[in-house]
Amino acid sequence: MFRRCLLIFLPLLPVFGSAAEREPILYRLGFADAAAHYLDVEAVIPTEGAASLTLFMPVWTPGSYLIREYSGNLITLEARTADDQTPLTVVKTAKNRWQIDNPAKAGHVVVRYRLFAREINVRSNWVERDFAVINGAPTFVTVADDFQRPYRVHLTLPAGWATSQTALPPGGAEQTYTAPDFDTLVDSPIIAGSPQVDSFEVDGVRHTLVTIGGGDVWDNARAARNLQRLVEGQRAFWGQLPYDQPYYFFNLLTGSRGGLEHRQGLTMMADRWLSRTRGGIRSWLSLASHEFFHAWNGKRLRPVELGPFAYEHENYTKSLWVVEGLTSYYQHLILHRLGYSNRDQYLGAISGSLRGVQQTPGRLLQSLSDSSFDAWVKAYRPSEDANNSRFSYYGGGAVAGFLMDAEIRRVSEGQHSLDDVMRAAFARYSGEQGYTEAEFIALVSEITGQDLGPWFQQVVQAPGEWDYQPALDWFGLEFEQPKSPAAPDPDAPDADDPVDPPTGWLGASTTDKDGRLIVTSVPSDTPAAAAALSVDDEILSINDYRVDEENVNKIIGLYGAGAQIDLHVARQGMLLTLPVTLGEPPAQTWRLKFSPNPTEAQQAHVDAWLGSKR
């Protein structure tokens, strides 16, 4: 329950007529039991004379497309009048809604609730002895269907915590912040504790890197210097910053990797050791580059279906391949143009995405449009069959961005690029308007002067194989071919021995789990799938020879393609023998390289695309 020390006094504002002048809801956040991961919230809610209030809590957070049921972390909720502390009746009417009776029509109702906050990621809450990560959607219970009103947030920090940091404007008192509406409140995370803080300015706007968990190994100043180059580079790409208020990079060094964009900032998770080397900084910058690109593409230029937000159910759109896929394409391209990679290294980044596409059988069953629409049920909770049945709008969208960029340049004879499309889309559709998938596609045709509807139908709106050749021809690229085995020497002592068969291949992925060799994925069209091997099977032996994570692929390879083997597995406590015919590993590496003899035109095309001569 709440500690009474949380009830510090903050003045309540008078009620005015217009929405902008309405009295704010005041939240007081307390951390008295931070070590036990509890967050205490007190909300002082103006009733405006209502005899009852309906409160609600969001079930998802923008940018992370999954119903997350945040109310599941709510432990207690009670209500009283603000003047005489008379208890009020609270009736829960839905998983995330509460009805509060106010028979005396008290001017303010005080709602107190406790949350369990121990999920360290970019979309939930984490509270512990040393710091707190507070996101809006899993924290703030508010009046249902009344989002165009101001809010005020005050934090009571435990002893030893130095500060709180957030993009919310200051609220006139220490550790107090304001928000003009619920969208802004939800979209503005708060970091509290004793973080490392470094700031820099671009175009007169302050940008602040706030790092938690860096210890004595993270170089925050070095990271901030590189962030400034990134901000300047993306500002140059778009033409200007899309904001004039302070922007925050919240950097949670928890060891895992992830990110979430916000209108005036971003949250990212990474490893504290990354600042020790150039390679580590570049890896960290890659994630920052993706999330910062969203300041334009995603937060201001966004599908019409993603604004205004409905916080109690799914917000479907077919355009996440634009929001996330094209952002994934540019996160590496812009860093390359800034000099953080040479051309071969950049081709390696594209090749990794391309290889991921070609190793995903789901691309033949699901389009990027449908993948975007199905994000709510497939993207964040993949089944064991996900690789076979779904297509990522992240990796797939990045490769589509590469192909799209090449196609725009090709059909416009080098006069236009995807860069032009993104800037034109921002100029036309950012802000309140938004765009539909059809409008984005039509804009590409408008800029190129060519009807690219059929191209988008094939690449974006229908599943199937993609034709890479037009892009390769435009840029003078080709795929590396695997080396053929050397021909046997007819004069060798073993010339009469049988020729070695190609390396054997099972096609399943495995991992070591407490000394057990466990199957983690079984792609379709592999020998493993043909043999009915299943995810979570434990592989015990091959032809009565014990195998483990260290030697299983070596032994399978040595048996050779075409070999018949018996795979002995344990499944749900039963021992099974699965006959397998081993295949050959995929012949295509999907590794891009520059053609050894490019034409002058191709060289010019690459220079226009990549910028840097490196």
Side-chain angles (χ1 to χ4, degrees):
M1 299 300 293
F2 272 80
R3 305 294 177 93
R4 292 295 176 184
C5 62
L6 182 62
L7 300 178
I8 65 169
F9 176 75
L10 286 176
L12 297 175
L13 303 179
V15 178
F16 297 96
S18 69
E21 296 175 330
R22 294 171 65 191
E23 183 179 349
I25 294 177
L26 168 63
Y27 297 99
R28 299 184 178 112
L29 307 186
F31 304 90
D33 288 329
H37 312 289
Y38 291 121
L39 171 62
D40 290 322
V41 183
E42 177 182 272
V44 182
I45 303 174
T47 66
E48 299 174 339
S52 66
L53 293 176
T54 299
L55 305 183
F56 102 109
M57 190 175 200
V59 301
W60 71 287
T61 194
S64 184
Y65 308 103
L66 180 70
I67 300 299
R68 298 191 181 276
E69 311 295 18
Y70 289 124
S71 61
N73 289 318
L74 195 148
I75 300 173
T76 59
L77 186 148
E78 62 181 27
R80 295 175 178 268
T81 59
D83 50 1
D84 60 4
Q85 295 293 298
T86 300
L88 298 175
T89 301
V90 179
V91 177
K92 191 171 186 178
T93 59
K95 63 183 180 182
N96 66 320
R97 282 192 174 230
W98 298 264
Q99 189 79 21
I100 298 178
D101 290 337
N102 182 28
K105 296 186 178 180
H108 298 85
V109 168
V110 177
V111 178
R112 300 188 182 108
Y113 54 97
R114 167 166 279 195
L115 297 166
F116 184 65
R118 195 181 182 277
E119 189 175 353
I120 186 71
N121 56 45
V122 297
R123 56 191 173 265
S124 299
N125 289 338
W126 177 275
V127 174
E128 64 163 59
R129 182 193 63 181
D130 297 323
F131 70 92
V133 179
I134 306 299
N135 280 289
T139 300
F140 298 114
V141 171
T142 189
V143 178
D145 308 315
D146 185 15
F147 303 150
Q148 298 305 312
R149 67 184 303 155
Y151 296 84
R152 200 173 183 204
V153 181
H154 175 81
L155 289 79
T156 300
L157 300 184
W161 290 22
T163 184
S164 59
Q165 299 280 336
T166 179
L168 291 172
E174 189 176 0
Q175 311 302 335
T176 304
Y177 307 96
T178 63
D181 50 50
F182 194 65
D183 283 347
T184 303
L185 182 67
V186 166
D187 197 38
S188 304
I190 303 171
I191 304 297
S194 300
Q196 296 172 266
V197 180
D198 285 275
S199 297
F200 57 88
E201 286 195 2
V202 175
D203 288 353
V205 178
R206 178 168 54 86
H207 297 72
T208 301
L209 173 61
V210 181
T211 296
I212 286 288
D216 59 358
V217 299
W218 175 260
D219 189 339
N220 211 55
R222 178 183 185 180
R225 289 194 301 271
N226 284 276
L227 267 186
Q228 181 170 355
R229 299 186 188 103
L230 172 66
V231 172
E232 292 170 345
Q234 294 206 11
R235 182 272 316 270
F237 173 88
W238 290 99
Q240 62 183 4
L241 293 176
Y243 47 81
D244 56 12
Q245 299 300 310
Y247 188 95
Y248 286 79
F249 296 84
F250 293 120
N251 184 36
L252 311 179
L253 300 180
T254 63
S256 55
R257 188 175 177 91
L260 187 65
E261 67 275 10
H262 301 284
R263 190 172 178 86
Q264 287 303 130
L266 62 85
T267 306
M268 55 189 293
M269 301 174 66
D271 192 298
R272 64 176 56 93
W273 296 95
L274 288 178
S275 72
R276 307 296 290 184
T277 63
R278 288 187 176 185
I281 280 286
R282 291 173 179 183
S283 174
W284 180 80
L285 273 180
S286 174
L287 177 58
S289 179
H290 180 103
E291 301 304 335
F292 185 60
F293 199 81
H294 280 313
W296 292 267
N297 185 35
K299 297 309 297 183
R300 291 165 175 86
L301 169 63
R302 67 186 188 187
V304 67
E305 300 91 348
L306 294 184
F309 293 111
Y311 292 101
E312 290 187 278
H313 59 76
E314 297 85 349
N315 292 220
Y316 296 104
T317 177
K318 289 193 172 185
S319 300
L320 291 181
W321 60 268
V322 178
V323 176
E324 296 293 355
L326 299 190
T327 295
S328 296
Y329 171 61
Y330 275 110
Q331 76 179 81
H332 298 292
L333 180 56
I334 289 179
L335 285 177
H336 171 73
R337 290 173 177 174
L338 290 173
Y340 281 96
S341 64
N342 60 38
R343 288 185 171 181
D344 287 335
Q345 290 169 330
Y346 176 66
L347 286 190
I350 296 180
S351 299
S353 296
L354 203 152
R355 187 180 307 111
V357 166
Q358 291 302 131
Q359 293 177 350
T360 301
R363 75 190 188 283
L364 305 177
L365 298 177
Q366 187 182 53
S367 71
L368 288 176
S369 291
D370 290 341
S371 172
S372 299
F373 195 85
D374 283 345
W376 296 92
V377 293
K378 291 190 176 183
Y380 291 87
R381 286 178 181 162
S383 70
E384 64 183 49
D385 192 51
N387 193 52
N388 296 324
S389 58
R390 72 176 179 93
F391 192 26
S392 170
Y393 51 77
Y394 280 90
V399 175
F402 161 66
L403 297 178
M404 193 184 311
D405 200 359
E407 186 68 5
I408 292 169
R409 294 171 188 269
R410 186 183 72 83
V411 301
S412 69
E413 298 181 346
Q415 297 302 304
H416 297 288
S417 70
L418 185 57
D419 300 4
D420 301 318
V421 171
M422 298 305 294
R423 289 189 282 262
F426 188 83
R428 181 175 299 182
Y429 295 118
S430 64
E432 299 299 322
Q433 184 173 358
Y435 61 86
T436 65
E437 183 186 57
E439 286 173 330
F440 187 89
I441 293 172
L443 179 61
V444 179
S445 297
E446 176 186 327
I447 288 177
T448 61
Q450 303 288 329
D451 180 11
L452 291 184
W455 186 92
F456 279 94
Q457 173 62 31
Q458 181 179 16
V459 175
V460 170
Q461 297 175 321
E465 292 285 9
W466 289 343
D467 183 4
Y468 299 114
Q469 202 57 50
L472 304 187
D473 291 342
W474 180 258
F475 291 125
L477 301 173
E478 60 187 39
F479 288 117
E480 288 185 357
Q481 299 301 316
K483 295 181 179 180
S484 301
D489 182 357
D491 297 325
D494 58 354
D496 294 332
D497 287 350
V499 176
D500 293 340
T503 297
W505 178 65
L506 180 63
S509 297
T510 59
T511 189
D512 181 275
K513 186 175 181 180
D514 299 326
R516 299 182 301 141
L517 182 59
I518 304 298
V519 176
T520 56
S521 72
V522 182
S524 57
D525 297 327
T526 63
L533 189 66
S534 178
V535 169
D536 291 333
D537 282 352
E538 179 187 358
I539 298 178
L540 303 172
S541 63
I542 295 175
N543 288 352
D544 297 325
Y545 295 99
R546 194 76 167 94
V547 293
D548 55 30
E549 181 70 6
E550 296 295 325
N551 66 14
V552 61
N553 289 322
K554 174 185 175 182
I555 292 174
I556 287 172
L558 290 173
Y559 266 108
Q564 305 284 327
I565 65 170
D566 284 335
L567 201 63
H568 303 290
V569 304
R571 178 182 300 170
Q572 298 174 3
M574 299 181 64
L575 300 180
L576 303 175
T577 299
L578 303 179
V580 181
T581 301
L582 298 177
E584 292 186 42
Q588 182 57 266
T589 65
W590 304 109
R591 167 75 189 189
L592 288 172
K593 68 175 185 177
F594 290 103
S595 301
N597 299 301
T599 66
E600 289 186 8
Q602 288 172 331
Q603 289 177 323
H605 298 163
V606 171
D607 291 343
W609 173 39
L610 299 183
S612 170
K613 295 285 187 180
R614 296 177 65 222

